[in-house]
Structures are given as C-alpha cells and as structure tokens.
C-alpha cells in the first residue's frame, strides 16, 4: 500500500494510483531542441511581471492538461510569493475576477484565446482588451510567453512528464 504524506497532508493509509512513467525523455534525445526552447523561454519572459508570467503559464497548462507544467509553475509562483487563493481560483478566473487586476484578466483572456484556437482565430475583442492594458512591446512578450508555454505543454503531455518531483527554481 502506498502512503502519500507531506507537511500539509494528514497521514493516511490511502492507496494512490501508481505514477505513470514518462514515455520519452525528449530533452535527452533532442538536446539542441531543448536548448533552443530554453533560449526562447528566456527571451519570452524578458520585461514581463513575474506574477503575470506565472499566472499565464499556469492557466495555459491547466487548459492543456499538462500536469508537469501545472506542478512546476504553481510551485514557482508560490515560491515567488503568489497567494494560494489566487492560484486555486485560476482555473475559474472568469467567475472570480475580483482576485485579479484588469491587466491580469486581459492576459488570462488572451492566454485562453491563443491556447484554444478551435475557432481558428483570436477574437478582436480579446486582442483589443489586451492591447488596452499592455504597451505593444509588452503585448508582444505576453504573446511570446503564451506561445512558449503552449509548446512546453505539448512536450510535457506528449512525453507524459510526471508531476510531483519539481523543486521551485529547479530549471532557472
């Protein structure tokens, strides 16, 4: 029987599902792609507020069901001082807007529109709202950050990277 405990979870003898192994250690087998992604990540975050950056990364990862990235960016956000309450509400941010600034809401709307392209476009009203809250250079960085986390999510989900082992700041 597996027992799951940490500082915040009372000890129980509940049996948890086994951790699924990764399908592929893609970074090991495509190191140049991984290095290019890290460089792209570094470039995309330049000039962006760290809190906004992590909210965007967590929200896109939630939409894409990337458990590894949700684990990573939630831990990084918490380590940087983000509140548990705002992170918990993020999956339902549209119903709990009062936890976020107008600028963060614009970024979250844009994150959802860019991440879910099933309609084939980013609606003008979403883009226009983001453009009201960000200078053009900053908006370009937000779009880059959204695009990069979506790429990371696709690696994480496809290769089935397991959550739960990341330590805040591990890849910085």
């Amino acid at each position: 029987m597996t027992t799951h405990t940490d500082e915040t979870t009372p000890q129980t003898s509940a049996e948890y599902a086994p951790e699924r192994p990764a399908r592929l250690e893609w970074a090991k087998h495509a190191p140049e792609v991984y290095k290019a992604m890290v460089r792209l990540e570094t470039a995309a975050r330049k000039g962006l507020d760290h809190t906004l950056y992590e909210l965007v990364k967590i929200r896109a990862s939630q939409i894409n069901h990337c458990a590894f990235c949700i684990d990573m960016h939630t831990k990084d956000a918490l380590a940087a001082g983000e509140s548990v309450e705002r992170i918990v509400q993020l999956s339902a941010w549209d119903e709990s807007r009062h936890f976020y600034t107008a600028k963060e809401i614009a970024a979250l709307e844009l994150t959802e529109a860019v991440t879910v392209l099933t309609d084939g476009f980013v609606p003008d009203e979403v883009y226009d709202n983001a453009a009201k809250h960000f200078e053009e250079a900053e908006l370009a960085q937000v779009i880059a950050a959204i695009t990069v986390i979506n790429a990371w999510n696709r690696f994480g989900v496809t290769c089935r990277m397991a959550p739960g082992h990341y330590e805040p700041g591990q890849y910085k």
Side-chain angles (χ1 to χ4, degrees), residues 8-169:
T8 60
T9 305
Q11 188 165 357
T12 66
S13 59
E15 189 171 328
Y16 290 86
E19 183 175 293
R20 297 186 321 175
R23 289 180 174 151
L24 176 70
E25 293 181 54
W26 76 270
K28 175 181 166 186
H29 297 290
E32 292 305 313
V33 175
Y34 176 77
K35 289 175 193 172
M37 285 294 298
V38 170
R39 287 190 306 272
L40 186 58
E41 172 82 26
T42 300
R45 82 170 140 227
K46 284 194 180 193
L48 289 181
D49 174 75
H50 184 73
T51 298
L52 183 126
Y53 181 71
E54 291 298 341
L55 292 175
V56 162
K57 292 172 81 86
I58 295 167
R59 185 62 192 129
S61 299
Q62 289 172 336
I63 294 165
N64 289 323
H65 303 278
C66 185
F68 181 85
C69 292
I70 293 168
D71 179 56
M72 175 191 293
H73 298 296
T74 297
K75 287 175 178 175
D76 282 345
L78 288 168
E82 182 57 82
S83 74
V84 170
E85 190 170 46
R86 282 171 34 104
I87 292 171
V88 168
Q89 291 300 317
L90 195 53
S91 65
W93 69 267
D94 200 29
E95 294 297 321
S96 49
R97 290 173 171 253
H98 59 285
F99 287 96
Y100 307 100
T101 67
K103 190 172 187 175
E104 290 168 341
I105 289 169
L108 293 170
E109 288 172 339
L110 187 60
T111 298
E112 292 197 3
V114 171
T115 300
V116 183
L117 290 174
T118 54
D119 292 336
F121 62 94
V122 173
D124 288 340
E125 58 273 8
V126 170
Y127 184 88
D128 292 344
N129 187 42
K132 285 182 207 171
H133 293 282
F134 296 95
E135 296 292 325
E136 285 185 342
E138 189 179 22
L139 181 56
Q141 291 300 122
V142 171
I143 293 166
I146 295 166
T147 301
V148 172
I149 189 57
N150 273 279
W152 284 120
N153 289 166
R154 277 138 181 84
F155 285 116
V157 171
T158 303
C159 297
R160 194 185 286 142
M161 295 173 67
H165 305 286
Y166 177 80
E167 296 294 325

